[in-house]
């Protein structure tokens, strides 16, 4: 008895720029390269392949088979798709080599929230509709566009990685439009408000840290990771060095993975020298240690700052303090390129936030 050849429709997909076909044979999934970058040629080869398979089926495999299309020998049947938890573990291992710790934590939480909505499904079974339904649910909860965008980008990055590993044939998130973010100028403190902020927070434990945030424009996590080795207050031109480092076995790098130097203004220099000369201030390696003498946890620092500002009756946040640095520089006429270098941003981001505050940027544009 001649064994029948099971037939199924072959589907096209791309690896890089080359077209492949995928079909099932005797219960196993097979992939073959068509060795062409032309979609029309790939469609023709697939049609010829399916026609030959049908002939083999109805002829019972007897006789000499007609010439096969110009495809490569079939790849060995792939192992069964790993379970989703195994894929997730592999993605997390990859993330540890490419992302910062708090980014991994954020990604994990959002991925957990999504996969909890599709219990029992394998990764290949998930569709664009599954992702879009989850994003719609989040939108109905009143999530801001920036939050929805972050949800989408995390899922998009996961599927893009899974596609590279061969766990999926396409990125099901790619066709979902990115939420549109409203454009608005950054919120920042006036010079009088800066004076008020420094006066009210100066006597507190966070006083020097707050001054550095507003007068040097550092990010919250950058402040947490500053050590005494990152600054020489007695140098002819004191600067803060925001740079990658390893302390006590913990490694850290900047958000943009680029080190930078920020000149210390005279006002900030006086505050930091007072901080340095305070009793016991040099016992810790950190420039701004936590109450326990350790490095601040970024979220604990935010809670502490909110408490300090609330007691002082001030409505500001870390982001407002950072934007104040960039905004006040822009109002002075400092170029966007210099602002981007001082703040560790790209020129595009600096332009997006501060172009409306640079007086000379568009002064000539109103003349006609």
């Amino acid at each position: 008895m001649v064994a029948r050849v099971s037939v199924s429709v072959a589907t096209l997909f791309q690896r890089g720029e080359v077209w492949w076909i995928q079909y099932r044979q005797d219960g196993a999934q097979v992939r073959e390269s068509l060795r062409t970058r032309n979609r029309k040629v790939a469609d023709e080869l697939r049609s010829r392949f399916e026609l030959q398979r049908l002939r083999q089926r109805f002829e019972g495999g007897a006789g000499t088979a007609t010439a096969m299309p110009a495809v490569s020998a079939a790849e060995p049947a792939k192992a069964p798709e790993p379970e989703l938890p195994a894929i997730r573990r592999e993605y997390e291992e990859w993330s540890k080599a490419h992302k910062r710790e708090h980014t991994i934590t954020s990604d994990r939480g959002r991925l957990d929230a999504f996969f909890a909505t599709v219990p029992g499904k394998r990764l290949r079974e998930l569709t664009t509709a599954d992702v879009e339904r989850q994003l719609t649910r989040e939108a109905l909860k009143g999530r801001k566009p920036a939050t929805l965008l972050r949800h989408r980008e995390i899922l998009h990055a996961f599927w893009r990685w899974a596609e590279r590993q061969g766990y999926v044939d396409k990125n099901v998130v790619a066709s979902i439009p990115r939420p549109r973010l409203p454009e608005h100028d950054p919120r920042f403190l006036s010079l009088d408000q800066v004076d008020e902020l420094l006066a009210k927070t100066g006597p507190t434990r966070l006083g020097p840290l707050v001054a550095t945030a507003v007068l040097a424009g550092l990010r919250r996590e950058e402040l947490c990771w500053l050590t005494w080795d990152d600054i020489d207050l007695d140098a002819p031109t004191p600067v803060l060095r925001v740079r990658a480092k390893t302390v006590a076995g913990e490694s850290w790098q900047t958000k943009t993975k680029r080190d930078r130097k920020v000149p210390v203004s005279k006002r900030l220099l006086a505050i930091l020298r007072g901080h340095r000369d305070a009793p016991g201030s040099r016992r810790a390696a950190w420039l701004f240690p936590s109450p326990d003498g350790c490095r601040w946890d970024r979220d604990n620092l935010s809670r502490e700052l909110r408490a300090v500002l609330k007691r002082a009756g001030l409505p500001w946040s870390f982001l407002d303090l950072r934007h104040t640095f960039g905004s006040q520089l822009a109002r002075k006429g400092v170029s966007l390129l210099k602002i981007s270098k001082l703040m560790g941003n790209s020129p595009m981001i600096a332009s997006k936030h501060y172009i409306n505050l640079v007086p000379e940027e568009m002064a000539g544009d109103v003349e006609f």
Side-chain angles (χ1 to χ4, degrees), residues 12 37 130 146 169 196 225 255 264 332-333:
L12 283 176
R37 300 182 181 185
D130 291 319
D169 296 327
E196 181 186 15
W225 279 90
K255 181 178 181 179
V264 178
K332 285 182 59 180

Side-chain angles (χ1 to χ4, degrees), residues 257 265 272 298 303 319 358:
K257 299 182 181 179
S265 67
L272 291 179
R298 58 201 296 269
R303 283 190 286 270
L319 189 58
V358 180

Side-chain angles (χ1 to χ4, degrees), residues 14-164:
Q14 273 185 300
R15 278 186 178 175
E17 297 181 353
V18 177
W19 286 97
W20 290 58
I21 55 172
Q22 174 179 295
Y23 60 96
R24 300 194 72 82
Q25 179 173 313
D26 298 328
Q29 179 178 279
V30 179
R31 294 180 176 185
E32 299 181 14
S33 172
L34 296 176
R35 298 179 180 177
T36 180
R37 300 182 181 185
N38 188 300
R39 174 61 188 263
K40 290 184 178 179
V41 173
D43 278 328
E44 175 64 23
L45 290 174
R46 178 180 61 174
S47 298
R48 289 169 54 192
F49 177 77
E50 290 178 339
L51 178 60
Q52 178 176 343
R53 300 266 295 173
L54 286 170
R55 285 174 177 169
Q56 288 178 340
R57 176 180 180 182
F58 289 112
E59 293 171 4
T64 304
T66 58
M68 289 287 290
V71 299
S72 67
E75 292 181 330
K78 289 186 174 294
E81 177 190 337
E83 297 290 336
L84 183 57
I87 296 176
R88 289 284 307 276
R89 285 193 297 271
E90 184 180 345
Y91 180 65
E92 188 140 336
E93 286 300 312
W94 175 86
S95 297
K96 289 177 182 178
H98 297 85
K99 300 182 180 181
R100 295 180 299 162
E101 182 178 352
H102 78 269
T103 303
I104 296 172
T105 302
S106 174
D107 290 359
R108 185 189 306 124
R110 286 182 165 90
L111 289 171
D112 286 345
F114 167 72
F115 286 114
T117 67
V118 286
K121 283 193 174 184
R122 302 179 74 87
L123 189 59
R124 284 188 181 275
E125 298 172 342
L126 297 174
T127 65
T128 300
D130 291 319
V131 179
E132 198 146 29
R133 277 193 288 268
Q134 167 65 359
L135 294 176
T136 300
R137 282 191 289 266
E138 293 296 326
L140 292 175
K141 293 177 183 177
R143 307 295 191 201
K144 294 181 179 180
T147 302
L148 296 176
L149 178 61
R150 182 64 181 149
H151 276 289
R152 181 198 178 277
E153 295 308 288
I154 287 174
L155 292 170
H156 186 278
F158 173 77
W159 250 274
R160 186 170 56 190
W161 170 86
E163 187 178 17
R164 291 198 302 269

Side-chain angles (χ1 to χ4, degrees), residues 72-339:
S72 67
E75 292 181 330
K78 289 186 174 294
E81 177 190 337
E83 297 290 336
L84 183 57
I87 296 176
R88 289 284 307 276
R89 285 193 297 271
E90 184 180 345
Y91 180 65
E92 188 140 336
E93 286 300 312
W94 175 86
S95 297
K96 289 177 182 178
H98 297 85
K99 300 182 180 181
R100 295 180 299 162
E101 182 178 352
H102 78 269
T103 303
I104 296 172
T105 302
S106 174
D107 290 359
R108 185 189 306 124
R110 286 182 165 90
L111 289 171
D112 286 345
F114 167 72
F115 286 114
T117 67
V118 286
K121 283 193 174 184
R122 302 179 74 87
L123 189 59
R124 284 188 181 275
E125 298 172 342
L126 297 174
T127 65
T128 300
D130 291 319
V131 179
E132 198 146 29
R133 277 193 288 268
Q134 167 65 359
L135 294 176
T136 300
R137 282 191 289 266
E138 293 296 326
L140 292 175
K141 293 177 183 177
R143 307 295 191 201
K144 294 181 179 180
T147 302
L148 296 176
L149 178 61
R150 182 64 181 149
H151 276 289
R152 181 198 178 277
E153 295 308 288
I154 287 174
L155 292 170
H156 186 278
F158 173 77
W159 250 274
R160 186 170 56 190
W161 170 86
E163 187 178 17
R164 291 198 302 269
Q165 311 313 308
Y167 293 139
V168 295
D169 296 327
K170 68 175 184 176
N171 187 339
V172 300
V173 187
S175 60
I176 300 176
R178 301 170 81 252
R180 296 180 65 86
L181 301 183
E183 294 187 8
H184 53 79
D185 290 335
R187 190 171 76 151
F188 63 95
L189 284 66
S190 68
L191 295 179
D192 288 340
Q193 289 170 328
V194 171
D195 292 340
E196 181 186 15
L197 172 76
L198 297 181
K200 289 187 175 180
T201 61
T204 70
R205 179 171 58 231
L206 290 187
L209 184 149
V210 169
T212 304
V214 74
L215 298 177
L218 268 62
R219 298 180 177 91
R220 173 182 54 170
E221 194 169 11
E222 293 171 348
L223 292 163
C224 293
W225 279 90
L226 280 178
T227 68
W228 285 104
D229 291 335
D230 293 324
I231 186 171
D232 182 359
L233 298 176
D234 297 320
T237 305
V239 294
L240 281 168
R241 300 177 185 86
V242 183
R243 54 188 177 179
K245 58 175 65 73
T246 299
V247 180
E250 284 189 290
S251 297
W252 175 81
Q253 60 181 334
T254 63
K255 181 178 181 179
T256 58
K257 299 182 181 179
R258 293 182 180 177
D259 298 349
R260 72 183 192 277
K261 296 179 181 179
V262 184
V264 178
S265 67
K266 293 179 180 178
R267 188 175 192 180
L268 179 58
L269 180 61
I271 294 172
L272 291 179
R273 281 177 174 169
H275 174 57
R276 177 194 63 185
D277 298 337
S281 64
R282 295 298 297 267
R283 292 176 186 171
W286 306 105
L287 185 59
F288 304 121
S290 72
D292 298 327
C294 303
R295 176 175 58 82
W296 271 105
D297 172 80
R298 58 201 296 269
D299 295 324
N300 290 341
L301 178 58
S302 289
R303 283 190 286 270
E304 180 75 9
L305 178 69
R306 284 195 295 269
V308 168
L309 295 181
K310 183 176 181 180
R311 288 193 294 268
L314 301 174
W316 311 113
S317 69
F318 266 119
L319 189 58
D320 299 328
L321 304 188
R322 174 169 161 82
H323 278 318
T324 297
F325 179 74
S327 299
Q328 292 297 345
L329 291 180
R331 296 184 74 183
K332 285 182 59 180
V334 176
S335 73
L336 295 174
L337 179 60
K338 288 183 178 179
I339 293 173

